[in-house]
Amino acid sequence: MARSTTITVEVDDVSYTDDVEPRLLLVQYLRERLGKTGTLIGCDTTNCGACTVHLDGTSVKSCTMFAVQADGRRVTTIEGLARDGKLTPLQRAFHECHALQCGFCTPGMIMQSASLLQENPHPSEQEIREGLEGNLCRCTGYQNIVAAVQAAADGTTTSDSATENGASETAGVA
Amino acid sequence: MIPSAFDYAAPETLAEALSLLGSAGDDVKLLAGGQSLIPVMKLRLADPSMVIDLGRIAELSGVRDDGDALLIGAMTPHHQVATDPLVAAHVPLLAKAAATVADPQVRHRGTFGGALVHADPAGDLPAPALAAGATFIIAGPGGERRVAAADFFQGYFSTAVGDGEILTHVRVPKYTGWGAHYEKFTRVAQQWSIVAVAAMVRVEGNSIAEARIGLTNMASTPLRATAVEEALAGSPLTLEAITAASAHAAEGSDPASDLNGDAAYRKHLAAVLTKRALVAAAGL
């Protein structure tokens, strides 16, 4: 059992094979080895949710998982959501509802909101708040974040073509 | 924060894991969901020289019907326990408690067995497991042994699982005709329980036939609220009877004092929360 292990991980639809130390955290692997800096490190103590990614489709905190645990599995980051330059309805909703101030929590908020909507496509406001319990916004911007998730669930965001400019702006922030 | 270096193995069978564990020496840690272990490794409060990851052992995960009981694999994530139809049908207390653990991301990774073996006094699974009369199935070099919940929790972060052993499954009897509720008291989101109460009640007509009550964070281990259970057996199904019985909730407890509240406050909470849990479980 050497102190370096070879892993193969699919990240945002691309397969990567790398030698990693077992102690390398998934979030460090994503940011420092793959350059996926859209996923942020906030508290680094499993509280804030800024590092949230999807592992085989469900949300996890990538600061609280070793990269070796993702061997053979599929990881989706905030950078893997948009398709052909078009934001998902959830991403558009965050833009249109102005669901961010400084933007630091936004990638984690969107990844957790996406997981929440997969498990519960039509959540109540209370269910949205509880579903985002593991994500902290220190700008105190929860009101618009909840509104954005509700808008995405209700399908009330504008169409792709109407927000192409906005799309690229939001992607830049995230 | 970066943990100390360690050797890593991810066996695919229980037999392989036991064999690795047997030859790894004293300085080894088993990794389940890692939602408690990885944070303490990052703080270097734990720095094992070897980590054995149980995450690839399929036989340790999942919920299955075992006649008059459910068999819950130790590596079953909290989210699965909280949403599994068998658990909801037969031991809803466990589903309700699992749904209160930490936050959704942690519930996707953290495991039922990992949390039980971690045995944090403020953890949300030990008291429900105790109240439900769970049996812990532990594998070791000499084979398998079974430990009752009352003997499993031995102190702060301490259980009957010994060196060289792995908790594989938890067997929980089916409860038909019982109401259940887990009443958790916290002050902020994703907080550990300051105090929580796990209650199951079987109602017959207008009276309470039986109650089973577990207390979270009222001692170094989960406790049964025996005095309340005895007071309720055969009592009328009324708010007055439940209130009177709940006043005994803290008897025999030994809660800690900390920044969230002193021991006297926790004893007060135990009575209040026991009443709330019983009212909800009985559907009053």
Side-chain angles (χ1 to χ4, degrees):
Chain A
M1 279 149 284
R3 293 207 168 176
S4 179
T5 302
T6 303
I7 61 169
T8 298
V9 190
E10 184 187 313
V11 182
D12 297 339
D13 300 323
V14 177
S15 178
Y16 298 89
T17 298
D18 280 300
D19 288 331
V20 297
E21 265 196 284
R23 64 173 167 170
L24 184 72
L25 298 168
L26 178 60
V27 70
Q28 294 169 324
Y29 176 70
L30 294 172
R31 289 175 56 85
E32 294 163 20
R33 297 287 282 274
L34 305 187
K36 297 267 180 188
T37 50
T39 300
L40 299 179
I41 300 174
C43 69
D44 207 5
T45 56
T46 331
N47 288 288
C48 81
C51 65
T52 300
V53 300
H54 293 181
L55 180 73
D56 292 334
T58 56
S59 59
V60 300
K61 291 183 172 178
S62 61
C63 80
T64 311
M65 188 175 157
F66 295 118
V68 287
Q69 292 177 284
D71 184 25
R73 304 185 69 174
R74 181 169 51 88
V75 174
T76 308
T77 78
I78 186 72
E79 298 182 34
L81 286 189
R83 298 281 158 179
D84 303 324
K86 289 192 173 154
L87 298 186
T88 62
L90 178 63
Q91 287 174 302
R92 286 204 306 280
F94 267 67
H95 175 73
E96 291 176 7
C97 296
H98 191 59
L100 63 154
Q101 290 187 44
C102 84
F104 196 93
C105 72
T106 309
M109 284 287 181
I110 290 177
M111 296 311 286
Q112 175 52 28
S113 299
S115 190
L116 167 67
L117 291 175
Q118 267 175 24
E119 289 168 8
N120 182 1
H122 300 289
S124 65
E125 180 187 335
Q126 182 65 23
E127 287 169 335
I128 293 170
R129 291 183 181 276
E130 289 176 1
L132 294 175
E133 181 178 16
N135 292 72
L136 303 180
C137 166
R138 294 296 79 162
C139 301
T140 72
Y142 295 106
Q143 202 67 27
N144 287 353
I145 292 169
V146 173
V149 179
Q150 197 81 67
D154 294 345
T156 54
T157 54
T158 56
S159 68
D160 286 339
S161 57
T163 55
E164 292 241 320
N165 287 338
S168 58
E169 279 169 29
T170 309
V173 171
Chain B
M1 296 178 292
I2 300 171
S4 299
F6 55 86
D7 288 322
Y8 173 82
E12 294 190 351
T13 66
L14 177 61
E16 199 187 333
L18 286 168
S19 163
L20 280 164
L21 190 56
S23 59
D26 296 337
D27 197 16
V28 59
K29 276 281 183 191
L30 294 173
L31 175 62
Q35 302 302 288
S36 294
L37 178 59
I38 293 175
V40 299
M41 287 178 68
K42 288 168 71 176
L43 293 166
R44 302 207 178 193
L45 296 172
D47 57 346
S49 61
M50 172 147 198
V51 169
I52 300 174
D53 180 1
L54 304 178
R56 297 186 188 278
I57 307 176
E59 63 197 284
L60 297 185
S61 192
V63 179
R64 67 174 196 265
D65 198 301
D66 191 32
D68 60 354
L70 296 184
L71 210 50
I72 305 177
M75 289 295 291
T76 310
H78 298 306
H79 176 74
Q80 191 177 340
V81 174
T83 55
D84 185 276
L86 282 174
V87 178
H90 300 296
V91 203
L93 178 63
L94 290 183
K96 291 177 181 190
T100 72
V101 173
D103 58 51
Q105 294 98 313
V106 169
R107 292 196 290 274
H108 286 147
R109 283 299 289 166
T111 66
F112 185 64
L116 289 166
V117 175
H118 187 56
D120 191 312
D124 293 305
L125 282 316
L130 178 68
T135 300
F136 292 75
I137 303 174
I138 301 169
E144 179 185 295
R145 65 191 181 97
R146 295 183 174 221
V147 176
D151 302 318
F152 183 79
F153 300 102
Q154 299 188 339
Y156 282 108
F157 302 100
S158 173
T159 72
V161 179
D163 291 343
E165 292 187 319
I166 298 173
L167 175 71
T168 64
H169 296 86
V170 181
R171 194 172 190 279
V172 189
K174 290 179 183 172
Y175 287 88
T176 305
W178 291 66
H181 186 74
Y182 188 66
E183 182 75 21
K184 174 171 175 170
F185 187 81
T186 58
R187 292 190 307 193
V188 298
Q190 58 178 230
Q191 193 182 15
W192 293 87
S193 285
I194 296 172
V195 172
V197 176
M200 290 196 293
V201 178
R202 186 166 65 82
V203 172
E204 273 179 11
N206 291 320
S207 63
I208 294 173
E210 273 181 277
R212 301 176 70 98
I213 301 160
L215 305 177
T216 298
N217 215 12
M218 287 299 290
S220 62
T221 63
L223 299 177
R224 285 285 285 276
T226 315
V228 183
E229 294 176 356
E230 286 169 359
L232 285 175
S235 79
L237 178 60
T238 62
L239 190 58
E240 292 70 31
I242 286 175
T243 304
S246 298
H248 299 286
E251 281 180 19
S253 69
D254 183 22
S257 292
D258 59 27
L259 289 174
N260 284 314
D262 60 18
Y265 177 63
R266 282 197 162 85
K267 288 184 177 183
H268 167 74
L269 277 180
V272 172
L273 301 177
T274 297
K275 175 182 163 181
R276 288 182 192 167
L278 287 166
V279 166
L284 259 186

